[in-house]
Amino acid sequence: MLATTVRVTRDVEVAEECVQDAYAAALTAWRENGVPANPAAWLITASRRRALDVLRRERVLRTKLALLARPDEEAAEPEDPADAVPDERLRLIFMCCHPALAPEVRPALTLRLVCGLSTAEIAQAFLVSEPAMAARLTRAKKKITAARIPLRVPEPAELPERLGGVLGVIHLLFTTGHSAPAGRDLIRTDLTGPALHLARTLADLMPGEPEIRGLLALLLVTEARRDTRVGDDGKLVRLDRQDRSRWDRAAIAEADGLIVGALRARRPGRYVLEAAIAALHAQAPSFEETDWPQILTLYDALSRVWPSPVVTLNRAVALAEVHGPEPALAEVERLELGGRLSGYRYLPAVQADLLRRLGRNAEAAHAYRQALDLTGNETERAYLTERLAEAEPPDAEAVAGPPLGHSSCGTVRLTSRLR
């Protein structure tokens, strides 16, 4: 709704006011006439009409002022650039990933305005607190207004400079749906489906970009395992226990072709490397037969291309499979001391699994409690609760950590075993 209105107004604050007006109008109209058959369509239409009214008034005002002050000056509206992007939502994403905004702000603002994610969900994806993300979004909207940043569909020549932000938006949209940070269901197909569609559309639009092919491959190979990640009883199924015969082999083969083509093109980037790692998991006949040494090598390459504490954590999982849990635990503890993943629920979850493998069950139980305290998804909470019960020592009180609670903190990735 907001995205559609921004498309009309090209002004975030004005669009938000129009949306609010639409909701206010609904309170009156629906009370008098009843709720319409399609409330969402009603609200979108009302918001759009309100936006057109605002634009019409502004146009009239500018015309009148021009007649008074500069009779000869034309008050023509700027023309829309050619619509080179064939998808409405993708056009909006390109529009919002404006180079005048800071790189870390573009995906966040776009996820809020175009994809409809809540501030809390975006905060979890970026590993920051909700108030910090709210402040970041507010500053971005003020900058758009103050600097008069034009929200318009970019020309074809402008697309490459915005591509990084667009890829980030699609990836975060998918991963937020792949492992929902909160709620009952582990997977949100209302997010993963549109993200996959956007990646396909983008690949058709810019076929020569290896990173787009890498992202599409990553989403395909991840989506291929979707139906086996949750059992018929609603419980999370770990990667090593998933029924690999049910994985979508056509999607995995398509992803493999994309990865091979992208690797041949030039030095691989972040998404190509992530896709290659995911493909190795998908192609292994069993968890035990996974090519962990090659996965570890790919994580080393990924760490150089895209240094990130999340990559380091995921690498620690591969490291444990190649060299054992002890060096992996040392890596995880260094990450913990660094503090950059303090709100990341998978850090204590990985730590707990490594501690259990070392027979340090009391410490593992404490780490599982920490993971539970950071997890807002009910499916993941049930899984962690079972793991905690398995590790719970008889003298639990001696090592008890914080009480089980509920936090919205989290992030978008699963460890190799969980995913």
Side-chain angles (χ1 to χ4, degrees), residues 41-123:
W42 192 100
L43 286 167
I44 290 172
T45 301
S47 178
R48 183 180 171 82
R49 285 176 178 167
R50 174 64 178 155
L52 290 172
D53 286 343
V54 171
L55 292 179
R56 194 175 297 114
R57 282 203 304 273
E58 289 181 351
R59 188 179 299 115
V60 170
L61 179 61
R62 284 198 300 271
T63 302
K64 299 298 183 187
L65 288 175
L67 288 174
L68 290 172
R70 300 177 184 174
D72 298 329
E73 183 178 329
E74 293 187 1
E77 285 292 300
E79 294 293 330
D80 246 345
D83 268 357
V85 184
D87 180 274
E88 171 71 15
R89 184 174 287 189
L90 192 57
R91 280 197 292 271
L92 290 166
I93 293 173
F94 268 109
M95 188 172 74
C96 289
C97 288
H98 198 286
L101 297 171
E104 68 274 14
V105 169
R106 297 172 204 163
L109 186 65
T110 311
L111 287 168
R112 181 75 188 97
L113 296 180
V114 181
C115 304
L117 294 191
S118 68
T119 302
E121 290 171 325
I122 299 168

Side-chain angles (χ1 to χ4, degrees), residues 44 56 71 77 120 126 134 207 289 291 328 337:
I44 290 172
R56 194 175 297 114
E77 285 292 300
F126 282 82
E289 295 175 272
D291 189 348
L337 288 174

Side-chain angles (χ1 to χ4, degrees), residues 101-386:
L101 297 171
E104 68 274 14
V105 169
R106 297 172 204 163
L109 186 65
T110 311
L111 287 168
R112 181 75 188 97
L113 296 180
V114 181
C115 304
L117 294 191
S118 68
T119 302
E121 290 171 325
I122 299 168
Q124 289 159 18
F126 282 82
L127 300 178
V128 300
S129 68
E130 185 175 346
M133 179 52 69
R136 188 182 296 182
L137 292 173
T138 299
R139 285 196 298 272
K141 286 187 281 188
K142 286 183 177 176
K143 180 174 181 180
I144 289 173
T145 302
R148 297 182 180 274
I149 295 174
L151 289 179
R152 60 170 178 79
V153 180
E155 299 283 358
E158 297 174 305
L159 298 183
E161 67 177 333
R162 303 190 183 197
L163 182 58
V166 174
L167 291 173
V169 167
I170 297 173
H171 182 247
L172 287 172
L173 183 65
F174 182 88
T175 49
T176 301
H178 177 74
S179 298
R184 185 185 63 184
D185 298 324
L186 179 66
I187 304 165
R188 285 186 57 185
T189 55
D190 62 317
L191 299 181
T192 56
L196 194 50
H197 168 75
L198 288 168
R200 278 197 184 283
T201 306
L202 190 57
D204 291 338
L205 178 68
M206 304 171 76
E209 291 289 343
E211 277 296 87
I212 299 177
R213 279 181 276 170
L215 176 64
L216 177 57
L218 176 61
L219 304 196
L220 280 170
V221 78
T222 307
E223 183 74 354
R225 303 194 300 264
R226 182 188 65 188
D227 292 342
T228 62
R229 295 179 59 230
V230 178
D232 294 337
D233 56 2
K235 292 184 178 179
L236 185 151
V237 182
R238 296 184 343 193
L239 178 61
D240 57 338
R241 297 179 180 175
Q242 291 174 13
D243 181 358
R244 294 176 181 237
S245 67
R246 293 176 56 203
W247 289 357
D248 186 343
R249 292 296 161 188
I252 293 171
E254 182 184 355
D256 186 60
L258 290 166
I259 294 166
V260 170
L263 287 172
R264 285 174 178 164
R266 63 188 184 195
R267 189 176 178 180
R270 169 194 168 182
Y271 295 110
V272 175
L273 291 169
E274 285 195 76
I277 292 169
L280 283 176
H281 282 294
Q283 292 164 358
S286 67
F287 184 82
E288 292 73 21
E289 295 175 272
T290 303
D291 189 348
W292 290 107
Q294 190 174 175
I295 288 177
L296 185 58
T297 299
L298 287 169
Y299 269 121
D300 289 339
L302 179 60
S303 299
R304 291 191 291 273
V305 172
W306 189 53
S308 154
V310 174
V311 171
T312 303
L313 180 63
N314 288 341
R315 180 187 176 278
V317 176
L319 183 66
E321 298 300 329
V322 177
H323 297 298
E326 199 156 352
L329 181 61
E331 288 285 334
V332 173
E333 288 174 343
R334 276 193 285 274
L335 277 173
E336 186 179 28
L337 288 174
R340 292 178 63 190
L341 295 181
S342 58
Y344 188 47
R345 62 190 186 273
Y346 297 122
L347 187 145
V350 170
Q351 190 176 34
D353 282 344
L354 294 173
L355 287 165
R356 281 194 67 190
R357 291 175 64 178
L358 291 168
R360 295 159 61 177
N361 281 11
E363 295 166 87
H366 178 67
Y368 280 130
R369 290 192 192 91
Q370 289 180 312
L372 271 164
D373 200 39
L374 294 171
T375 302
N377 183 277
E378 293 180 21
T379 303
E380 289 186 347
R381 287 184 63 80
Y383 169 80
L384 291 169
T385 300
E386 284 189 1

